[in-house]
Amino acid sequence: MMDENKQINNISQQLGEPTEVKQAMKSDFPAQINFNESGGEATEQVAAQTNVSGDAATTNSETGVPATENTGAETAALAELTQQIESLKTQLEERSTQYMRIAADFENYRKRTSKEKEELETLMKRNTILELLPVVDNFERARSHLKPQSDGEMTMHKSYQGVYKQLVDSLKRLGVSPMRPEGQEFDPNLHEAVMREPTDEHPEGTVLEELVRGYFLGDRVLRHAMVKVAAPKEDTPSTEEDQSSPANS
């Protein structure tokens, strides 16, 4: 009996049986039955472990070759993605450059259009005011020539002078301002000489009188002023010529 227990303990240690199996083997139940049951369970556990180890080995051996292939596929996919990223970067730079060029062209177009619009408005205003300037000239001539004598004439005079003042104020609001060329040097960009008067009281080229008033529209000439300009006085005959004339006679 002692030999059998020792033999059972040795087998249990070899098979790695749990302590409960050992204790069961030492109980009063028949040793052969416990041994057979415990041995069967232990044998099944060992077989299961062997099968699992074998499956794992089989799996590892089967996945060893595909792992290399997967690594190569991943490298190729990464290279393709990198190429796509570089291509997208290039396209983005091209689109950015194109956008900047379009934005610059649009800004130039906007400035050019705005300038053309301002010039067109100024031209339309200029042409309209030029049509009104003869009316202003007639009011000024009437004021300088008409001398009211009676109360009725004075009332009429004040009436049309009020209209003249209203017209001049409207032109001022539009940016029209008159020239004051008297006493200034003649400037062909501003003045138009229609008369010359010999005189030694003023230097040659001095504007003596404004015959038709000139006007500015902003900082541009709206209408040139028609003026009379000082000219050098003609030389008088010399004394010798005066003396020679009686002798010859």
Side-chain angles (χ1 to χ4, degrees), residues 15-220:
L15 297 176
E17 292 178 346
T19 306
E20 290 79 0
V21 175
K22 293 179 183 179
Q23 292 177 355
M25 289 179 179
K26 294 179 182 179
S27 65
D28 295 337
F29 291 96
Q32 186 66 34
I33 295 173
N34 292 335
F35 174 73
N36 291 333
E37 293 178 354
S38 300
E41 293 176 357
T43 303
E44 291 176 356
Q45 292 178 358
V46 172
Q49 292 178 358
T50 303
N51 292 332
V52 171
S53 299
D55 293 340
T58 303
T59 304
N60 291 332
S61 63
E62 290 177 355
T63 57
V65 175
T68 305
E69 295 179 357
N70 291 336
T71 302
E74 291 177 356
T75 303
L78 181 61
E80 183 178 358
L81 290 174
T82 303
Q83 185 178 2
Q84 291 180 0
I85 291 173
E86 294 297 330
S87 177
L88 291 175
K89 285 183 179 180
T90 303
Q91 293 180 9
L92 180 61
E93 292 178 357
E94 292 177 355
R95 295 296 186 274
S96 299
T97 304
Q98 185 178 6
Y99 170 76
M100 294 176 64
R101 188 181 299 111
I102 292 173
D105 292 341
F106 177 76
E107 182 65 19
N108 293 333
Y109 169 77
R110 187 186 64 80
K111 291 180 179 179
R112 184 173 64 254
T113 304
S114 178
K115 184 177 180 181
E116 291 176 354
K117 182 180 178 181
E118 292 179 357
E119 292 179 351
L120 181 60
E121 290 178 353
T122 302
L123 180 61
M124 293 176 62
K125 184 189 296 185
R126 180 178 181 276
N127 293 337
T128 302
I129 295 173
L130 282 174
E131 295 295 329
L132 296 176
L133 290 182
V135 180
V136 178
D137 296 338
N138 290 331
F139 272 112
E140 291 180 350
R141 292 190 187 97
R143 184 179 61 178
S144 62
H145 289 90
L146 295 178
K147 303 297 182 183
Q149 301 296 330
S150 62
D151 294 339
E153 292 177 353
M154 182 60 68
T155 302
M156 186 179 297
H157 178 75
K158 290 181 180 180
S159 178
Y160 74 77
Q161 286 302 316
V163 176
Y164 165 74
K165 184 177 183 302
Q166 184 178 3
L167 179 59
V168 171
D169 292 339
S170 298
L171 294 177
K172 286 181 180 179
R173 286 192 295 269
L174 293 174
V176 179
S177 58
M179 296 182 184
R180 305 295 181 186
E182 291 89 346
Q184 298 180 0
E185 185 178 359
F186 176 79
D187 186 353
N189 297 319
L190 304 176
H191 312 137
E192 181 180 353
V194 294
M195 292 182 63
R196 290 171 61 87
E197 180 178 335
T199 179
D200 54 0
E201 296 180 359
H202 301 279
E204 182 182 2
T206 303
V207 176
L208 300 177
E209 183 181 357
E210 184 183 35
L211 304 177
V212 178
R213 180 163 296 178
Y215 291 93
F216 292 105
L217 179 59
D219 56 351
R220 297 183 179 182

Side-chain angles (χ1 to χ4, degrees), residues 227-246:
V227 297
K228 180 169 61 174
V229 183
K233 206 167 186 179
E234 295 180 358
D235 295 335
T236 56
S238 61
T239 307
E240 294 179 355
E241 292 178 354
D242 294 341
Q243 291 178 356
S244 62
S245 295

